[in-house]
Amino acid sequence: MKALATAYAAGLPGRDTHSLMHGLDGVQLTFMPMGDRDGAFDPEHNVILINSRVRPERQRFTLAHEISHALLLGDDDLLSDLHDAFEGDRLEQVIETLCNVGAAALLMPADLIAGMLARFGPTGRALGELARRADVSASTALYALAEHTDAPVLYAVCALTRAGTDDPDDETPAGKVLTVRVSGGAPGVKYSLRPGTPVPDDHPVAVALDTRLPIVQDSYVPFRSGRRMPAQVDAFPDRQRVLVSFRLPDRPTDRPAARGEA
C-alpha cells in the first residue's frame, strides 16, 4: 500500500487539494456536512465526499485516506491478497489501516521526513515542522516521524486538558493539567506514554509551555506509574501544546516498563 501511494504521489504536481486529486481521472470531490463521518469514497458514482465541518487538517488527511481507498480498489492483486487473508470485520479493519498508511505516504513523502530529520534531528522541533509543512495533525506527523527515526527516541504531543475531561480545546483556566495526548516510539523502542499521563509542573515539558521557549535538557520520561526513565528531553512549544522527543539511553539498563507502558 505504501508503494502504491508513493508511486501515485510521484506523479502529482503538488500536495494541495487540487493536486492530490490530479491522478484520479473522472473522480469528483465534494465537500458537504456528514455528521460523525469524516469522508467516504463512492466507487459507483466516482465521487469522494469530505465532511465540510471538520478542521482543514482533518479534511486533508481524510482526502488522502479516501484517495488511498480508490487506489486500493484499482489494484486487483492487492485486493485479491487481502480477501484471501482476511474476511468480515477484520478485512474492513485491515483496509482502513492500509488506507491510513497510504494517506501518510501521500502527504509525508520519505524525502520530506528525511529532510526534517537531517535539519532538526529527532526533536520536538522536527515534529512541529513536519506537521506544519505537510499540513497534517501533530499526531499524524508523530507516527510518520517515529517510523523513520533510527535513534532510540520516544515522541509525544502534550497539551493542557481540563481536569476530569479529555477536551484540549476547553479554555477554562481553572483546573487545567498538562497531559500526554499521544505518543509513539522509533522502531525498537518498547516504551510509550499512555494518553492522559500527567506531566509534573517542574518537568521541562511544563516549563517549555509556561515560558513558550524551547528547552533541551537531561531529564526523564514521566510514566504514569511514577517511574522516571532518564532521557534527554527536547520540548518545543507550539500554541497550546508541546511537541516532545525523549532521547532514551542507547542501552537502557533498567528493568522493563510496567504493563501498559511498553
Side-chain angles (χ1 to χ4, degrees):
M1 186 68 225
K2 186 180 295 184
L4 192 63
T6 299
Y8 176 84
L12 298 178
R15 292 295 191 277
D16 57 279
T17 298
H18 176 74
S19 296
L20 286 172
M21 292 290 297
H22 183 77
L24 295 182
D25 294 334
V27 178
Q28 296 182 334
L29 175 62
T30 299
F31 290 84
M32 60 182 291
M34 297 184 66
D36 294 335
R37 298 193 65 179
D38 289 335
F41 171 56
D42 181 353
E44 181 179 354
H45 298 93
N46 250 11
V47 61
I48 289 177
L49 304 173
I50 303 295
N51 193 335
S52 59
R53 294 183 177 176
V54 299
R55 300 187 310 273
E57 63 184 20
R58 192 173 185 89
Q59 290 178 343
R60 179 173 166 79
F61 188 84
T62 300
L63 173 58
H65 177 95
E66 300 307 333
I67 289 173
S68 296
H69 271 290
L71 296 177
L72 178 58
L73 288 175
D75 191 306
D76 292 337
D77 290 338
L78 181 53
L79 269 180
S80 177
D81 289 343
L82 289 173
H83 282 276
D84 287 344
F86 306 101
E87 61 182 17
D89 290 343
R90 180 55 179 160
L91 174 62
E92 295 303 318
Q93 293 170 0
V94 170
I95 288 175
E96 289 303 309
T97 298
L98 288 180
C99 289
N100 283 340
V101 170
L106 283 174
L107 300 177
M108 293 171 288
D111 57 348
L112 174 61
I113 299 174
M116 295 299 97
L117 288 171
R119 182 173 179 182
F120 303 109
T123 63
R125 173 73 182 276
L127 175 54
E129 289 292 334
L130 179 59
R132 181 180 67 83
R133 298 191 188 195
D135 195 17
V136 297
S137 68
S139 59
T140 298
L142 182 151
Y143 293 123
L145 191 66
E147 182 183 359
H148 289 79
T149 297
D150 294 328
V153 170
L154 175 64
Y155 294 101
V157 177
C158 302
L160 288 171
T161 304
R162 187 178 176 184
T165 77
D166 289 324
D167 183 5
D169 298 321
D170 192 320
E171 296 300 327
T172 305
K176 281 197 168 184
V177 294
L178 182 62
T179 64
V180 174
R181 305 302 300 173
V182 63
S183 77
V189 173
K190 59 183 178 180
Y191 306 100
S192 66
L193 286 166
R194 286 180 290 178
T197 297
V199 178
D201 292 340
D202 60 350
H203 193 276
V205 175
V207 176
L209 183 62
D210 289 341
T211 63
R212 297 293 192 267
L213 295 173
I215 292 178
V216 180
Q217 180 180 327
D218 287 337
S219 185
Y220 62 91
V221 182
F223 291 118
R224 182 188 287 270
S225 63
R227 179 173 173 238
R228 298 184 174 189
M229 174 182 289
Q232 182 183 65
V233 178
D234 184 291
F236 183 73
D238 178 47
R239 294 173 293 179
Q240 298 301 312
R241 64 190 181 188
V242 185
L243 310 177
V244 192
S245 71
F246 299 93
R247 173 66 185 254
L248 306 176
D250 290 331
R251 293 182 179 180
T253 57
D254 51 352
R255 61 179 177 78
R259 186 175 182 85
E261 294 178 354

